[in-house]
Amino acid sequence: MEMRAHYVAVGAFFLAMVFIAFVGVIYLSAGSPPQQFAHYDIYFRGEFSGVSKGSIVDYNGIPVGKVSDVEIDPNNVEQIRVTVEIDNKVVIKTDAKASVEANLLSGVAYILITKGTKEAATLTAKPGERYPVIAPRRSALANVYARGPELLEKLNDVADALNAMLNDKNRARIGDILTNMDKLTADL
């Protein structure tokens, strides 16, 4: 009889622990209430790459949401419509701008929203828009990329000017100057 009582006690203890663990998992998984998001659209023109569904959205460098959709704008095939979900506690102002940035170390692209001031009004959807629209801007890297051909042309002009300045006649004169300086320093 004594042995049977121990088995019953151990079994009851085991079932109680399983029940407590099950209730704990359900309680912890319920956790906090689901986070509420506000949706915004951003329309980018030109080349667009690196950002996809699930990419991070930062506001002045702080993660505040994610990209929920990327598609060609059905009303204008020259634009890419990016829909973002941003924590509804974050207030987006009318003077805010969005750009596609890339982490130089990892190469991961993300949306960066900047330049919102407290004096500006809160961004709201205009009639005919499904969500409020954040104005796009080019990133610094995209500006350099866009101006690349112009910069290369200017660099080429500088190289041509240096070649013209260092013709055979001028190189001979520079050689004479160096020879004279060598004689002067030897005399001193």
Side-chain angles (χ1 to χ4, degrees):
M1 250 348 217
E2 184 101 10
M3 285 295 278
R4 193 169 182 72
H6 289 298
Y7 289 130
V8 171
V10 168
F13 177 77
F14 178 74
L15 288 176
M17 288 290 122
V18 168
F19 178 75
I20 289 171
F22 182 72
V23 169
V25 166
I26 290 175
Y27 176 74
L28 292 175
S29 68
S32 61
Q35 190 174 14
Q36 298 295 319
F37 292 102
H39 291 84
Y40 297 89
D41 280 335
I42 308 164
Y43 293 93
F44 291 101
R45 289 184 156 278
E47 190 174 316
F48 183 84
S49 63
V51 173
S52 60
K53 192 173 183 177
S55 293
I56 295 173
V57 176
D58 285 0
Y59 184 83
N60 287 332
I62 300 169
V64 294
K66 65 179 182 174
V67 174
S68 61
D69 195 22
V70 178
E71 64 184 357
I72 296 171
D73 181 13
N75 300 322
N76 184 352
V77 295
E78 295 177 355
Q79 295 184 137
I80 305 297
R81 180 172 64 193
V82 178
T83 304
V84 296
E85 295 178 344
I86 297 175
D87 185 353
N88 67 351
K89 295 175 191 166
V90 177
V91 178
I92 304 295
K93 301 290 189 158
T94 55
D95 59 350
K97 304 280 186 202
S99 62
V100 176
E101 302 290 335
N103 184 321
L104 293 178
L105 295 177
S106 66
V108 175
Y110 61 96
I111 302 286
L112 178 65
I113 300 171
T114 56
K115 302 275 186 195
T117 58
K118 72 178 180 179
E119 293 85 23
T122 302
L123 186 63
T124 57
K126 293 182 173 87
E129 295 176 345
R130 62 183 196 153
Y131 301 124
V133 175
I134 301 173
R137 73 172 179 85
R138 265 199 221 173
S139 67
L141 192 58
N143 280 335
V144 170
Y145 182 74
R147 293 191 62 211
E150 180 184 334
L151 293 173
L152 285 175
E153 189 173 323
K154 286 184 180 183
L155 186 60
N156 197 19
D157 291 345
V158 168
D160 288 344
L162 279 174
N163 276 340
M165 190 171 77
L166 295 176
N167 59 23
D168 291 338
K169 184 178 175 184
N170 286 339
R171 276 188 287 221
R173 287 183 179 171
I174 290 172
D176 291 343
I177 290 171
L178 291 176
T179 303
N180 290 337
M181 286 180 65
D182 187 39
K183 287 180 186 176
L184 179 68
T185 54
D187 290 345
L188 287 176

